[in-house]
Amino acid sequence: MIKQEVVNQIKKAENIVPYKLRTDLLFQKQIFNNKTYYVVKDPLGLTYCRLPHAEAILAGLFDGKRSAEEIAQNYNKYFPHKMISAQDVLQFLDLLVSRNLVILPTDVLLSKIPRRRDSFLQLLVGFFLKIFFIKLPLIHPSRWLDRIVRSAWWLWSPQGVVITICFWIWTLFFLFLHRSAFDTNQIQFFSAQNIFFLYIATAIDKTLHEFGHATTTRRFGGEIHEMGVGFFFFIPVGYVDASDSWIITDKKARIFIAAAGVYTELIIASVAAHLWILFPLGMAKNLAFNLMVTASVTTLFFNLNPLMKFDGYYVLVDLLEIPNLREKAFAYCTAKIQDWLLGYKNPQLLKMKVNKAKGWIFFVYSTLALCYMFYLIHSLGKVLFNGFKQVGLENIGAALSFFVEMAFVGAVVMKVFLAPFLSPHFFPGFSQTLKKRLKGFGLGLIVLCILLVFPCREKVKTVAVVRSQLGQNVASADGGVVKEIWVRSGQHVKAGQALLRLDNDRVEMDLQLARMDLAMKRIDFSSFEYSSRRREGKEKESAPMRSQDLQATRKKFDLALKRKEELMLKSTIDGVLINPDIESIRGKYFRPGETILKIRNLERYYFIVPLTQAETRIVFPGAEVKGIWISSGKIFHTVVQKIGQKMVERSEIPPGLLIPYGGKIPVIPVTLKEQQEKNPYVFAFIPLSKEDQSLILEDMRAKLIIKGKRTVLAEKLYRFFTTLLISRQED
């Protein structure tokens, strides 16, 4: 009885006459990955689909007269190695109906109109799309674009492309020559005052970006169906419908069309760079700077990024000849993971029939795309955290940041595991498959637990700078020119030993004036005493005042004499002169307070090492230290002596600590203050080994690895990931 019903259904399917294929469709032959495809264009809905060669032949047999059995027989004549049945023809008919490629009767067409109401989420998404993505079509520009393309044909020629690339290279060289303009630039890109210029620059840049797509599409034979104005997040930009590029057969042309927006923006950025350098201060210069940054940074990090569905993605799709690369990569990797972890055979994977080469491409692309998406989600979490931190709600910001990141991870996990558990084909063999997988998971979990409790040490990699516990920077309060030098480089000196003598004309003049003034006061006071012996009265009353005036003048002279004596500089400690070439300073002028000589006690050198608060919990006095001198590459070993308790001020940080890999010592940046406020430092003090003392100079640098407290791998990983995700050190 059941067999008879099956036979009746097959005979009924054989007699069905499928709907007729639409006669207004355009078929364009293309070669992808050495296989023939046909791009089908719907001129009414302006939609496109790609059919393999065999499916395109099968679609051409739908004339509204042949039955399903007749279509199958005709198809089998063309492709005897791919035999199909009437049932297969009807299944293919469902595909054509879903893509609106056949002529439907009125009653069937009306029945396909959806009657159900949209969900609240769909209504909400549609509402926001209408607000933030508004399109106003204006013109059909193909004829108008033809005139532009004919007059500027050379832009798409090989010579034009070479000239454009040379212009980009020249612009980079031009900016290098005027790199000082970046140091003196007063335009703060993300400031509130720059919002207006950024708004205008974005509108101009993205409009010209779309215009580049339009002209290039028209240049290679594609039609521009629509051009208008769009409001994307309330920014007015021009937009074009260049989807006709899909039916262009030349692969190089399709790549050029996809890259035309980036190509145009880089030209805009180059022109704006020249204008920014040449324009005087004013609105035009500000607008040129914003155009330069917007057309270069956003192009390189967004439009040219193949991990997002922008221009770079479509260029990669054409280069790899894999249509819908993103969707196929995620679907393939999801199905593979479901098979490996749960033993679930996803029917979508069986239909894809992916070879090993494409499988690797799918895995690499999906992994990079997921990592990039997580980076964007993490960046959004940082914005939330910093925003709430500004108003004193740091804990709420951290919780929201963690929730956003975990929501993304949860969505990925549900994508992988939800489909198998909801599939009716999964549970018949689920128990047996689950037992096998659980054994593997259990073994892996045991190995993971063993690894997590594996003992290890915390380590801190940092840079240290040499300092002396006892030293003197020899300087003069008045400054002057070095006249005589009585010591040499590397000489041991003792406290009180004379080092050199300075000449200072101002000090000499002040001393002579003070000497003359004192002599005049003495003569005046002597004549006054002589005359006061003969006279009485008021002159005797003024004697104390004259005596005080003489004493004040004598003090001025003593002070001037002391300043003169201090031009002969002496050592206040026992130590070694570490200046490399003392004789070279003879005849050189030194400002008041400027260091002339450096005296250090070679037996009392030590390293200073900056540690964050989190690192102070890891490092302890007596911890082993392995280091390597940056200058010589010599390895040494020592231990931590002590860890300071006082927070380090910005002025106390030696510049050498800011350059981990050597090079010119920079000026301490202003941003270091903000970094210290978020992550204050303390200094650890590490003594040098005795054999190195005689070879060391102050401010020499070394890379250090400090072995911290013993811990387990789980705690070490927890510390790493909390620091990474929360974007701050532990308090």
Side-chain angles (χ1 to χ4, degrees), residues 56-68:
I57 296 297
L58 180 59
L61 297 174
F62 285 69
D63 58 358
K65 298 177 181 179
R66 296 186 180 97
S67 65

Side-chain angles (χ1 to χ4, degrees), residues 94 143 166 169 185 200 409 461 463 499 610:
D94 292 337
R143 294 182 181 178
C166 291
I169 296 173
N185 180 40
I200 299 298
V409 174
K461 295 182 179 180
V463 177
L499 306 174

Side-chain angles (χ1 to χ4, degrees), residues 308-346:
M308 304 178 71
K309 292 193 73 172
F310 294 128
D311 297 344
Y313 168 77
Y314 294 106
V315 171
L316 181 64
V317 165
D318 271 312
L319 287 174
L320 297 177
E321 295 186 347
I322 305 177
N324 301 319
L325 171 64
R326 189 180 184 88
E327 292 77 7
K328 289 180 180 178
F330 285 141
Y332 176 80
C333 294
T334 300
K336 277 292 186 181
I337 293 173
Q338 290 169 346
D339 184 18
W340 293 338
L341 296 182
L342 303 174
Y344 173 65
K345 302 296 182 181
N346 194 318

Side-chain angles (χ1 to χ4, degrees), residues 385-613:
F385 174 77
N386 293 330
F388 279 92
K389 185 178 179 180
Q390 296 296 328
V391 295
L393 301 175
E394 183 176 352
N395 293 332
I396 295 177
L400 285 176
S401 173
F402 182 77
F403 173 77
V404 169
E405 292 169 358
M406 290 302 102
F408 173 77
V409 174
V412 174
V413 172
M414 288 184 64
K415 177 71 175 177
V416 175
F417 293 100
L418 188 60
F421 284 99
L422 295 180
S423 173
H425 304 290
F426 179 56
F427 284 97
F430 174 68
S431 58
Q432 185 177 0
T433 304
L434 185 61
K435 288 180 181 178
K436 294 180 180 179
R437 295 297 187 270
L438 285 177
K439 288 181 181 179
F441 289 156
L443 182 61
L445 187 62
I446 292 173
V447 173
L448 179 62
C449 291
I450 293 174
L451 290 175
L452 290 178
V453 298
F454 190 80
C456 60
R457 273 188 180 275
E458 295 278 9
K459 291 183 179 179
V460 175
K461 295 182 179 180
T462 183
V463 177
V465 171
V466 173
R467 280 288 184 265
S468 175
Q469 291 178 323
L470 183 62
Q472 177 193 0
N473 290 339
V474 180
S476 171
D478 293 295
V481 178
V482 178
K483 191 66 175 177
E484 295 182 81
I485 302 175
W486 302 309
V487 291
R488 63 183 183 277
S489 300
Q491 178 180 340
H492 287 266
V493 296
K494 294 186 177 182
Q497 181 177 341
L499 306 174
L500 54 81
R501 182 175 66 82
L502 300 176
D503 271 359
N504 189 313
D505 294 338
R506 186 183 183 87
V507 173
E508 291 284 351
M509 184 182 298
D510 290 344
L511 178 61
Q512 294 299 330
L513 290 174
R515 181 179 285 112
M516 292 174 61
D517 194 16
L518 179 61
M520 295 295 292
K521 292 291 183 182
R522 283 177 174 172
I523 294 172
D524 181 60
F525 188 76
S526 298
S527 62
F528 171 77
E529 284 186 334
Y530 177 76
S531 62
S532 63
R533 292 173 186 172
R534 297 182 178 183
R535 300 178 183 180
E536 300 292 339
K538 293 183 178 181
E539 291 186 357
K540 287 189 175 182
E541 294 177 1
S542 62
M545 295 179 60
R546 291 179 177 272
S547 177
Q548 292 177 3
D549 191 20
L550 178 62
Q551 293 296 329
T553 304
R554 184 178 288 111
K555 288 181 180 180
K556 289 182 180 180
F557 172 77
D558 293 340
L559 181 60
L561 184 61
K562 184 178 180 182
R563 289 174 61 194
K564 169 67 176 179
E565 293 173 352
E566 288 178 349
L567 292 177
M568 185 174 67
L569 304 181
K570 299 180 180 180
S571 173
T572 59
I573 63 170
D574 294 342
V576 176
L577 288 160
I578 64 172
N579 295 64
D581 187 7
I582 293 181
E583 284 297 324
S584 63
I585 66 174
R586 189 185 300 273
K588 183 179 178 181
Y589 171 76
F590 287 88
R591 296 186 301 272
E594 184 179 1
T595 300
I596 303 174
L597 299 176
K598 291 183 179 180
I599 303 174
R600 297 293 184 265
N601 188 322
L602 296 182
E603 298 180 356
R604 303 186 68 178
Y605 273 133
Y606 63 93
F607 282 120
I608 58 171
V609 182
L611 298 177
T612 63
Q613 287 185 319

Side-chain angles (χ1 to χ4, degrees), residues 179-228:
R179 58 189 179 274
S180 59
F182 291 95
D183 298 329
T184 58
N185 180 40
Q186 298 179 353
I187 303 172
Q188 297 180 356
F189 191 72
F190 293 105
S191 64
Q193 297 83 356
N194 195 52
I195 290 178
F196 172 74
F197 294 104
L198 183 60
Y199 183 86
I200 299 298
T202 303
I204 296 173
D205 175 52
K206 298 310 173 186
T207 299
L208 294 176
H209 173 102
E210 292 294 311
F211 188 75
H213 284 303
T215 52
T216 308
T217 302
R218 196 61 186 152
R219 163 65 180 81
F220 292 105
E223 185 178 357
I224 304 302
H225 306 294
E226 190 176 88
M227 179 179 285

Side-chain angles (χ1 to χ4, degrees), residues 120-134:
F120 173 76
L121 182 60
Q122 291 173 325
L123 292 174
L124 186 63
V125 171
F127 173 74
F128 280 107
L129 287 176
K130 289 180 180 179
I131 292 178
F132 296 114
F133 302 96
I134 302 173

